[in-house]
Structures are given as C-alpha cells and as structure tokens.
C-alpha cells in the first residue's frame, strides 16, 4: 500500500467508501470469521481463536472424525449451541440493509453460521458449508438439523451410518455447488440480472489465508470493483485493497452504509 493510502485519515477513507457504496448497484461481499466476532462467535486463528485452544487436526479433518465421531460431534454441538444463542451484529444488519436499498448484494462467506441470513441477507453462498447441515458419507444424504443440543449423539442417517457435519474440513476440496453459484454470479450477476460487473467488493473479517478468496477479490477488481477491506489487522488482502479500514466490522459498517 502506498504511503498516501496508509496515512489518509479514517474519516476520509470512510467518506470515500460511503460515496462508492451509495453509487454502487452491484456489491460483492466476502466475509470471514471476523464478521461474526462481535456476535460472540469465536474466530479461528486470532490470539483468542479456536485454533489456539483446539488442534484443528483433532476436530476438523475426516481422519479425526472417523477415529472418534463422538468427540468431533461434541465439539460441533457446543459450537452449534453458541451460534444458536448468538444474534446478528450491526455488520450483518448493515449488509442486509444494502440489499433492502435495492442493490444487488452477493455474499460469499467462509462462515458456517447463519447470521447473514438471520440478519435478512438473501443471496449468501457458504463456501465452507453449514453447521446446520448433516451429511451421510455412505449415501450422500444431506439433511438440515437445527437441534442444539443434538438429541442423538452422534447423529445417524436412516441407512444406519453416522452423519458428519456438512462442513469443509482441512485437506478437503471446496464443494462444487457454491463454486458454481459464484461462477454464475461472476458471469451474470445476482439471479442473472447483471452483467458480471462489480462496483464495490467488501472484504470483511478474514485473514484471507485461502488462495481462492484472494483470487475472487482480484477478479472483482479486474472487473471494475473498488476493493475495501475491513479488519482490525492489516492482512495481505488488506494491503492489496483500494482502502483498508482498520477496525471492527460492527462499528465501521454502520458508518459506511447509508441508513436513511
Ligand atoms: P480467521 O480466524 O483466520 O480470521 C479472522 C479474521 O477476522 C482476522 O483477520 C481478524 O483480525 C478479523 N477480525 C476479528 N474480529 C473482527 C471484527 N470485529 N471485525 C472485523 N474483523 C475482525 O478466520 P477466516 O479468515 O474466516 O478463515 C477461515 C477459517 O475457516 C480458517 O481459519 C479455517 O481454519 C476455518 N475453517 C474452519 C472449518 C471448520 O470449522 N471445520 C472448516 C474450514 C475452514
């Protein structure tokens, strides 16, 4: 990032982003764990993150699950109970507000919670799956299950097999359906109503440690988008952004979204 960009005051940056968003018709949003942090849902890699307390190899790999499904399920059950008790924060609510204002808002989230949907956002793609879906590895059956706590531990499919969380674990491929939805959006906009042009791309609360996320942001910029990163930490993607807003999403989003 140039010196000019880093020294620009927060107020001036907020004013630019507010103007871009006001004028925007197509907004792509990429979110990570940080967007839900102020709702009390823990992040992963930050100092108080889940992967500092728990070894991901023991909870978020197919091997760990096959070795001890009850241990893995108890961990996810505790997370499900935390998420069900959490409420959308002002960041989720402001993104839904943008859509209410008639803008085409397409959210790609790495989060497995449903706080964007509960805030009212309609077009949300979950790249890493959903904590509310269970999948049978034997017959591919996927069911939605919102019990928290789960009534059956571990949950089983009607075929008798233990079901797993429908979440992308370490070492696994990204699922084809969200990738296809993103491709369609990039070509045609939301619901085929656009040209694929993106006016603003908001990147919120992610370390952007996955190459795919960086590629998506680069694609947006190549298609005309202003890149805006919102994160208390300066990440690699934040360095690439047109504007990096250093701070909490729940505090900054209400300052860039027109609330009239
Ligand atoms: P992350 O924990 O790596 O990063 C969170 C980011 O949010 C950090 O950059 C942090 O500075 C920022 N942040 C914290 N509070 C914020 C706030 N109030 N406002 C704005 N930003 C804030 O999470 P990520 O970037 O979403 O990375 C994806 C994660 O998904 C990976 O860490 C990976 O381990 C995880 N993952 C988990 C599973 C699973 O649960 N099994 C599966 C796949 C991927």
């Amino acid at each position: 990032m140039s010196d000019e960009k880093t020294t620009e005051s927060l107020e001036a940056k907020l004013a630019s982003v507010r103007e871009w968003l006001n004028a925007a018709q197509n907004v792509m949003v990429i979110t990570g764990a940080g967007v839900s942090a102020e709702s009390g849902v823990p992040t992963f890699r930050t100092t108080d993150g889940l992967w500092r307390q728990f070894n991901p190899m023991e909870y978020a790999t197919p091997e760990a699950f096959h070795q001890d499904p009850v241990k893995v399920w108890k961990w996810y059950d505790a997370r499900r109970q935390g998420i069900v008790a959490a409420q959308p924060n002002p960041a989720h609510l402001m993104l839904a507000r943008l859509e209410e204002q008639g803008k085409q808002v397409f959210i790609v989230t790495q989060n497995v919670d449903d706080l964007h949907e509960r805030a009212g956002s309609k077009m949300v793609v979950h790249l890493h799956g959903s904590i509310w879906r269970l999948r049978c590895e034997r017959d591919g059956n996927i069911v939605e299950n919102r019990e928290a706590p789960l009534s059956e531990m571990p949950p089983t499919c009607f075929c008798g097999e233990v079901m797993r969380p429908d979440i992308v674990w370490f070492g696994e491929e990204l699922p084809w359906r969200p990738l296809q939805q993103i491709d369609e959006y990039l070509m045609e906009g939301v619901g085929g109503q656009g040209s694929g042009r993106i006016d603003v791309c908001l990147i919120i609360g992610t370390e952007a440690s996955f190459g795919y996320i960086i590629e998506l942001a680069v694609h947006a910029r190549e298609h005309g988008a202003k890149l805006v990163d919102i994160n208390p930490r300066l990440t690699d993607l934040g360095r690439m952004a047109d504007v990096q807003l250093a701070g909490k999403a729940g505090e900054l989003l209400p300052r860039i979204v027109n609330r009239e």
Side-chain angles (χ1 to χ4, degrees):
M1 206 161 20
S2 72
D3 285 350
E4 199 182 314
K5 264 203 278 182
T6 46
T7 53
E8 200 184 353
S9 77
L10 179 63
E11 280 310 321
K13 291 180 185 179
L14 290 169
S16 303
V17 177
R18 218 179 290 126
E19 207 172 293
W20 294 339
L21 271 183
N22 253 335
Q25 183 51 34
N26 294 300
V27 181
M28 180 163 83
V29 185
I30 300 172
T31 64
V35 78
S36 297
E38 288 155 87
S39 296
V41 180
T43 58
F44 293 95
R45 293 199 169 90
T46 42
T47 41
D48 53 353
L50 286 172
W51 296 156
R52 299 290 175 117
Q53 302 165 54
F54 301 96
N55 178 354
M57 296 303 127
E58 289 180 27
Y59 296 96
T61 65
E63 295 75 19
F65 179 72
H66 293 137
Q67 200 178 344
D68 194 344
V70 172
K71 175 179 168 180
V72 169
W73 262 121
K74 282 188 174 163
W75 189 74
Y76 276 100
D77 200 26
R79 285 184 63 200
R80 285 161 62 103
Q81 291 177 55
I83 290 169
V84 93
Q87 295 301 324
N89 69 54
H92 301 106
L93 295 169
M94 287 301 116
L95 294 174
R97 173 73 62 91
L98 275 180
E99 205 173 317
E100 280 164 21
Q101 291 168 352
K103 299 184 194 300
Q104 304 282 315
V105 180
F106 185 81
I107 301 178
V108 177
T109 187
Q110 297 162 82
N111 299 343
V112 296
D113 67 51
D114 57 351
L115 292 173
H116 284 303
E117 289 90 340
R118 280 161 55 195
S121 288
K122 303 276 186 314
M123 197 53 246
V124 186
V125 170
H126 287 266
L127 203 51
H128 292 160
S130 163
I131 203 160
W132 302 118
R133 289 196 311 256
L134 319 185
R135 188 170 90 232
C136 175
E137 284 183 333
R138 186 191 287 167
D139 59 21
N141 184 31
I142 294 177
V143 296
E144 189 168 301
N145 175 317
R146 291 185 172 264
E147 292 174 347
L150 282 160
S151 60
E152 188 190 17
M153 181 60 74
T156 48
C157 182
F158 55 78
C159 74
E161 183 79 358
V162 173
M163 295 191 97
R164 60 168 277 176
D166 190 23
I167 284 178
V168 181
W169 281 329
F170 287 92
E172 295 188 314
E173 301 276 317
L174 291 174
W176 67 270
R177 179 66 187 136
L179 293 177
Q180 189 187 38
Q181 286 175 295
I182 294 168
D183 275 353
E184 282 167 11
Y185 166 74
L186 295 178
M187 281 187 292
E188 301 167 4
V190 176
Q193 290 172 4
S195 58
R197 185 187 158 81
I198 303 165
D199 302 309
V200 177
C201 173
L202 299 175
I203 302 148
I204 308 173
T206 179
E207 272 304 300
S209 39
F210 293 96
Y212 183 80
I213 292 297
I214 299 187
E215 283 167 25
L216 203 53
V218 168
H219 176 100
R221 183 151 72 186
E222 284 170 356
H223 288 73
K226 294 282 190 193
L227 285 193
V228 179
D229 182 79
I230 301 174
N231 196 317
R233 252 173 57 74
L234 183 58
T235 63
D236 289 345
L237 209 41
R239 282 191 192 87
M240 284 170 46
D242 293 286
V243 166
Q244 204 277 336
L245 297 174
K248 294 182 174 181
E251 292 171 8
L252 293 175
L253 262 294
R255 298 176 69 184
I256 56 174
V257 173
N258 183 349
R259 284 187 280 163
E260 281 159 21

